[in-house]
Amino acid sequence: MAEQNMDFRLDRDSNSGTEKNCNGIDRVAGIVSTAKTYIASLRGGDSMLSLADRAPRALEKFLDTLETFCPDQETGPDRFRWTAAVSQSIRDFLEALLAADLAEPGSIPVSVLARAGAETIRWDLVNRHTPDIKLWSWLGDLFISTYGEEVQQVRGASEAVGREYLRAIAYHAAALDQQTLKAGFAVARLIARLLPDLFMVREHVKGALYGIDVAQRGVPMRVTKSTSFTGWWFVTEEAVDALSDIHRDLAHGRFSDELEYMNEEELRAAVVHLRRQWSFDPPLRRHRRYPLNARMCVVRGYEQAMDLLGDDATEAVAVGMGTWHITDMSVGGVGAITPRSIKVSVPVAGDLVAFCPEEGTRWHIGIVRRLRTSKSHVEIGIATLSASPELAFVDDGRHSRELCVCDPVRRGGVIRLVAPVGTLEDDDPIFVVEKNAVVHKLRPLAEALRGKSFDLRIYLVA
């Protein structure tokens, strides 16, 4: 067996939250208490059961309990506190398993250790942390110690350690950080159902989306069709076919036995999400990214962003260079990184932000789509809403408000308005007044999209 005495504990707080579940139990405290209970069972428990039997039971019961403590109404702070508690608890569980196996070598099945490792990777992803290289390296050691050089393919149907390694890669390839907590549970359950349809091969085949340099114990990386990568390939083609079958069954109101207990709406969303992520032509970036080394200022929140668009705030440079460093930029957005510090207000996924590179003279507005944290840094990906946002007075016949216009106002054209939550719900036409006093009538083309502190809606300029 590979060496189990590893050190990957992170300094992460699992601050106590306040939201209660239906039984009046604090959800975060419930997670911490439950983890301690099942960890304690590894040391004692039922004397009739061996440690090899107690360990998998305790792990499965703990994992099953997590969903009962999931917040019903998810907010940014709730998610942070809850996922931090889960992430740290599952790490504590894995370390307890490793300690027990170290005390009694071979007492814990390798497949149980691998499953705990896969779940630790899952919750780091949900918690929006950067991949843990030490954890992936340890899991790679387990994989290598199980399969020799002669093995050319590993499937998730029956191979114990291979199945859990595939589960970890599937989690990595499922964009769990972009899902709500409830949706994330549905995706994880669907992945468990699809494990028999996932496999790894040493040769590149159609449908291979990720490459894994297991020999170097590396983190899975997305590969292109023309790549010259050498190593193991993660193949999802059969799983995508199975997802298509599930989607067709759902359209006819049919559920398989393994999925019948799941919420239909959550299951349907999970199927659509995984099909999109794992298809042979997965979602691609619309615009090419260009590396860039420049500083940037980022301001989060609707009100704060709008304050920067006034006539006296057009020169973004006056605010300072900012603490963020741009890593890449495209027409559609920007990636940036900053040192992790309690003094810096870091935006979270879904936040509206205003941002400006150090050599720019105008503020852009965008939405944070990606967030990753590590011990030392925070990374974000911002999708640009507008590179030239402007404030204009918008009148609905009852109130006149100064709102953000993302696009040039031209008769017959389409524009997007950004406004405080609830401002753009009315389906009646509204009027926008430009700075030259020209008035345009706006007809809504679609329902308003709601963000964390704002609404976004599309209008036709009549």
Side-chain angles (χ1 to χ4, degrees), residues 97 134 203 350 414 418 437 439:
L97 290 171
K134 290 183 179 180
E203 294 183 4
V414 173
V418 178
V439 179

Side-chain angles (χ1 to χ4, degrees), residues 338-393:
T338 189
R340 189 173 180 180
S341 170
I342 60 174
K343 298 180 180 180
V344 178
S345 178
V346 177
V348 299
D351 271 349
L352 182 78
V353 294
F355 61 97
C356 183
E358 61 181 315
E359 296 182 358
T361 58
R362 289 185 62 88
W363 288 95
H364 303 194
I365 61 169
I367 299 174
V368 177
R369 293 299 190 195
R370 173 174 51 84
L371 175 71
R372 291 283 189 276
T373 61
S374 66
K375 286 184 178 180
S376 58
H377 288 83
V378 178
E379 301 175 31
I380 59 172
I382 303 172
T384 302
L385 275 180
S386 178
S388 301
E390 293 187 355
L391 294 177
F393 283 98

Side-chain angles (χ1 to χ4, degrees), residues 253-302:
R254 298 192 299 265
F255 287 77
S256 63
D257 293 340
E258 304 97 322
L259 304 173
E260 62 181 359
Y261 57 86
M262 292 181 62
N263 176 278
E264 182 177 355
E265 183 177 347
E266 292 174 357
L267 174 58
R268 192 184 304 276
V271 170
V272 171
H273 175 72
L274 280 184
R275 284 181 72 190
R276 185 169 182 266
Q277 295 295 324
W278 291 359
S279 65
F280 184 54
D281 293 308
L284 301 175
R285 297 186 179 99
R286 295 174 56 194
H287 306 287
R288 181 179 177 183
R289 290 186 176 189
Y290 297 91
L292 187 65
N293 183 18
R295 296 172 68 182
M296 181 173 73
C297 188
V298 178
V299 177
R300 64 183 294 196
Y302 176 84

Side-chain angles (χ1 to χ4, degrees), residues 394-401 426 428-431:
V394 177
D395 196 323
D396 62 2
R398 298 181 298 273
H399 306 284
S400 180
R401 300 181 177 90
D426 200 318
D428 294 331
I430 57 178
F431 300 87

Side-chain angles (χ1 to χ4, degrees), residues 140 142-155 165-166 169 199-206 208 210-217 223 227-235:
L142 289 186
F143 184 85
I144 288 175
S145 67
T146 305
Y147 305 98
E149 288 296 323
E150 69 279 3
V151 176
Q152 298 296 312
Q153 183 180 111
V154 174
R155 302 188 69 94
Y165 197 67
L166 279 164
I169 299 171
F199 61 96
M200 295 167 58
V201 292
R202 290 185 184 271
E203 294 183 4
H204 179 252
V205 298
K206 179 181 178 181
Y210 282 78
I212 308 97
D213 189 350
V214 180
Q216 298 299 319
R217 284 65 162 175
V223 292
T227 186
S228 58
F229 173 82
T230 301
W232 286 88
W233 297 81
F234 175 61
V235 186

